[in-house]
Amino acid sequence: MVTEVLWLVYKLEHQAKAQGGKVHFLIGNHELMFIESDFRFLNEKYVGATKVMGIRTSDLYAENAVLGNWLRKRPVIITIDDLLFTHAGISPSFLQRKLPAKKVTKQFYSHILKSSSRRKNALQTFLTSDEGPLWYRGYFVEPFPSTQILDDILDFFESKKIIVGHTSLRSITSLFEGRVIGVDGNIKEGITGEIMIIENGETFRGRRNGSRIKL
């Protein structure tokens, strides 16, 4: 239900703005894959639909399509208060490059997510690699170099926690004494699935039955 979910978020974004709130939708590896015409994980129904419509599969989210144009303008890294959000994570290699969040998003917006951009320079190649913010899994692989590197990452972004998805877990998981929180609760399998809730300074795991567990 990819298209349905994206239209829902698009609608929620406008509704939130009208109420003085904000929806932040971050680009992830699957959005990048689709824009780069990598359809390995695309549900067959979308391929069939494009054949019926007589268009290319890539046209579904082309730059001149509403959702395609909207997706290409989503950020890659954001900070809200003292929280750092990105799809997969910030790697030690990323930290070495001292890349501010706005510069990273600009690289994606101006070059990487452009349909006309097929060649990548060294920075763009790095940003879309396994060490980049859309694909990194190092927090969940033993051993991670050190907690000092995480502290350095957080200091660079002036944050206290890194919130990431991408790597599926059985529940929302706090790692490295709360420095990293993995929020991909593996809802894709239809078995588990949780949502992180931050309310009045407290953090909870929101469960499918509506209950909450303090994180």
Side-chain angles (χ1 to χ4, degrees):
M1 300 182 72
V2 176
T3 301
E4 296 90 334
V5 168
L6 290 175
W7 277 120
L8 173 62
V9 177
Y10 183 87
K11 177 182 178 181
L12 290 173
E13 184 180 68
H14 288 79
Q15 290 177 331
K17 185 176 180 180
Q19 295 295 321
K22 181 77 173 178
V23 169
H24 302 271
F25 184 94
L26 275 66
I27 284 288
N29 60 303
H30 284 275
E31 288 79 17
L32 175 65
M33 290 170 69
F34 196 98
I35 288 171
E36 292 185 334
S37 297
D38 182 345
F39 306 128
R40 281 176 291 165
F41 301 109
L42 184 66
N43 191 286
E44 180 61 31
K45 73 175 184 179
Y46 295 105
V47 178
T50 57
K51 290 179 180 178
V52 171
M53 292 186 285
I55 63 174
R56 298 174 301 175
T57 305
S58 58
D59 290 338
L60 284 175
Y61 301 115
E63 285 183 78
N64 61 353
V66 174
L67 283 180
N69 181 59
W70 177 76
L71 277 175
R72 285 169 171 80
K73 295 177 181 177
R74 298 309 95 196
V76 177
I77 303 170
I78 62 171
T79 56
I80 301 175
D81 298 328
D82 58 1
L83 302 175
L84 168 64
F85 294 85
T86 193
H87 178 71
I90 304 297
S91 67
S93 298
F94 185 102
L95 178 64
Q96 292 172 4
R97 288 166 170 78
K98 302 294 183 183
L99 298 169
K102 288 184 178 180
K103 181 176 182 178
V104 173
T105 292
K106 186 176 181 180
Q107 283 292 317
F108 274 86
Y109 174 71
S110 301
H111 303 287
I112 297 170
L113 299 178
K114 290 286 186 182
S115 297
S116 57
S117 298
R118 290 292 177 249
R119 291 186 178 182
K120 297 174 183 175
N121 62 27
L123 173 58
Q124 293 152 15
T125 298
F126 168 75
L127 290 173
T128 55
S129 74
D130 290 347
E131 294 292 308
L134 303 191
W135 285 99
Y136 184 62
R137 296 190 191 273
Y139 304 145
F140 307 95
V141 178
E142 295 290 346
F144 185 80
S146 72
T147 55
Q148 182 59 54
I149 291 177
L150 282 173
D151 288 337
D152 292 342
I153 291 170
L154 290 167
D155 287 344
F156 178 74
F157 287 101
E158 298 180 351
S159 301
K160 292 183 179 179
K161 297 179 186 293
I162 307 173
I163 315 299
V164 300
H166 188 56
T167 299
S168 294
L169 308 164
R170 287 300 172 186
S171 64
I172 292 175
T173 304
S174 177
L175 301 169
F176 305 103
E177 298 178 333
R179 292 175 178 85
V180 176
I181 299 178
V183 296
D184 184 343
N186 204 25
I187 199 170
K188 63 188 177 186
E189 292 184 354
I191 300 171
T192 59
E194 297 182 344
I195 184 170
M196 188 178 76
I197 301 168
I198 301 174
E199 192 172 75
N200 299 322
E202 293 188 305
T203 305
F204 303 90
R205 291 165 46 203
R207 307 178 74 190
R208 293 175 68 194
N209 61 10
S211 66
R212 296 183 181 189
I213 300 174
K214 192 169 182 180
L215 189 64

